[in-house]
Amino acid sequence: MEEFVFYNGKKLRKGYTTGSCATAAATAAAAFLFEEEATEEICIELPDKKNLTIPIASIEATEDGSQAFVVKDGGDDVDATDGMLIGAKVVKIDGNQILIDGGIGIGRVTEVGLQNPVGQAAINPVPRKMIEASVRKIIGLNQGVKVTIFAPEGEVIAKQTMNRRLGIVGGISILGTTGIVTPMSEDGWKQSISLELEMKKSQGYSSVILCPGNYGEEFVLNTMKLNGENIVSMSNFVGYVLKEVQRLEFEKVLMVGHLGKLIKVSAGIFSTHSKDADARTEILIANLALLGMPVPQLQEIERCLTTEAAGEIIASAGYEAVYQVLAEKVKKRSEDLLKYRKHEPNIEAVLFSSQRGYLASTKPLEQLKEEWR
């Protein structure tokens, strides 16, 4: 039975995770090998003990066992893995263990700090438990098998995921804590960021550079000439990430971002997606007005669609001091967010624009370059 969730007034269909796909494929392959049963769908148990029925795309015997495929269905969620084939091969082994590994298209862990040790296939603990429990029901207590999860398109599709940043190479990860994909859920994205922060911390980093996206990262690498090993993309989840930084007790934070994003933080807006808040122009006008910009020019800025366009008016009018004001406010608002809680990291900020480049920072840029090099 299909399940739905409502988001922004739209009815969206739920899907299932790569972990559920791997579990279903492994269960179908085991059933074919041990019971000679080729089924068109498999019912698996989710971590919350509910059942989920997943279609089996194909199933076949192999030279030494059997294998089955599932087509990943993310529902109405935007997901790089949606529609890809996830397979599982099952072969009998001596003893009664269930060994789980990754084959072609499944990533390998190369950095410490993740849920799997270095060298292990990127099949997370919850999917591993789901696979083992489901296969065990088929094979019984006294039989052993090796289960190999694979994804023919995994290496290509992994380039669209965060795996590279997490030190997972060669393919996708088999993920999922509930087994179900909830459309437009931000939880998975936030968990990925938390995981990256935890990994940096476990690797010995005491400072972290937070960027809203690729533009910020490029500025850090190309303009500030930093190596970028401790860059973490916070996306639009500024408040969430700052609190995670506090929880993990990082000592120093450098926030580097485009004016159009971080200007929201200067006004205390910590979820910067336009669906949550888009007061860029109003914030800019308010700060320029406090600096004395005449009303006609403020009205010109009000008609601008982007902060880039407003930058031309600000420059010609000689009010570029506003950028320093905004940078200081980004720092203060961020520090205020974490105030009165255990561990208060030192926070600095850098603002830039696509057309004008560097705009302002809470410390001189050369000093920040030296401190963070």
Side-chain angles (χ1 to χ4, degrees), residues 304-363:
C304 292
L305 298 179
T306 65
T307 55
E308 295 285 353
E312 298 299 319
I313 301 168
I314 291 168
S316 63
Y319 280 87
E320 290 168 305
V322 71
Y323 301 130
Q324 188 63 40
V325 172
L326 292 170
E328 297 293 344
K329 287 186 176 181
V330 169
K331 173 182 169 73
K332 185 176 187 306
R333 289 285 194 173
S334 298
E335 290 177 340
D336 285 349
L337 180 71
L338 306 183
K339 208 170 182 180
Y340 307 123
R341 296 180 178 90
K342 287 183 180 179
H343 187 78
E344 296 181 29
N346 178 63
I347 300 175
E348 304 296 342
V350 178
L351 302 181
F352 65 88
S353 77
S354 299
Q355 293 182 2
R356 310 187 75 79
Y358 170 75
L359 297 175
S361 52
T362 48
K363 286 183 178 180

Side-chain angles (χ1 to χ4, degrees), residues 30-297:
F32 188 70
L33 180 61
F34 284 86
E35 300 173 356
E36 298 183 353
E37 178 185 349
T39 180
E40 294 183 355
E41 59 184 22
I42 280 287
C43 182
I44 64 170
E45 185 176 86
L46 300 176
D48 64 1
K49 304 303 180 183
K50 292 181 180 178
N51 292 327
L52 174 67
T53 300
I54 296 180
I56 302 301
S58 66
I59 188 167
E60 61 192 11
T62 65
E63 187 176 332
D64 53 353
S66 64
Q67 65 183 25
F69 288 91
V70 167
V71 176
K72 167 71 185 322
D73 182 357
D76 289 327
D77 193 54
V78 178
D79 186 340
T81 62
D82 186 49
M84 73 181 297
L85 278 176
I86 295 176
K89 180 180 178 180
V90 177
V91 298
K92 294 179 182 180
I93 61 172
D94 294 333
N96 65 349
Q97 283 188 294
I98 296 177
L99 305 179
I100 300 172
D101 200 3
I104 186 170
I106 303 300
R108 290 270 160 189
V109 177
T110 65
E111 300 281 354
V112 298
L114 298 176
Q115 295 184 41
N116 295 301
V118 171
Q120 194 174 82
I123 304 172
N124 275 11
V126 171
R128 283 180 182 272
K129 289 178 182 177
M130 289 172 63
I131 293 166
E132 182 173 358
S134 192
V135 170
R136 181 62 75 189
K137 289 178 182 178
I138 301 294
I139 69 173
L141 297 176
N142 300 318
Q143 177 64 53
V145 292
K146 180 177 181 181
V147 179
T148 304
I149 307 300
F150 59 99
E153 302 171 293
E155 189 168 0
V156 173
I157 289 175
K159 295 175 182 177
Q160 303 172 45
T161 72
M162 290 183 67
N163 276 12
R164 178 184 60 83
R165 299 185 68 96
L166 296 174
I168 297 171
V169 301
I172 64 166
S173 299
I174 301 299
L175 304 171
T177 55
T178 65
I180 297 293
V181 175
T182 301
M184 305 306 292
S185 171
E186 296 175 345
D187 290 343
W189 200 341
K190 288 179 178 178
Q191 287 171 13
S192 295
I193 298 171
S194 293
L195 187 61
E196 188 172 2
L197 287 168
E198 288 169 357
M199 184 180 73
K200 300 294 184 190
K201 185 68 175 180
S202 70
Q203 291 173 344
Y205 290 102
S206 61
S207 59
V208 64
I209 301 173
L210 300 179
C211 303
N214 292 334
Y215 290 150
E217 184 171 345
E218 289 170 7
F219 187 87
V220 170
L221 298 175
N222 300 329
T223 301
M224 298 186 72
K225 304 297 182 184
L226 303 179
N227 62 29
E229 289 179 356
N230 55 345
I231 294 176
V232 172
S233 174
M234 60 183 170
S235 186
N236 294 300
F237 314 120
V238 182
Y240 171 84
V241 173
L242 284 172
K243 289 179 180 178
E244 284 293 271
V245 163
Q246 184 177 50
R247 175 180 70 84
L248 294 168
E249 298 188 353
F250 282 93
E251 297 298 327
K252 292 167 46 180
V253 177
L254 180 62
M255 301 172 66
V256 181
H258 190 280
L259 175 66
K261 279 291 184 185
L262 291 190
I263 193 172
K264 298 180 184 181
V265 179
S266 75
I269 297 169
F270 291 100
S271 179
T272 58
H273 197 288
S274 57
K275 68 178 176 61
D276 295 323
D278 189 8
R280 294 167 298 170
T281 303
E282 290 81 357
I283 297 166
L284 193 54
I285 287 172
N287 283 280
L288 286 166
L290 287 172
L291 291 176
M293 178 177 272
V295 171
Q297 289 169 325

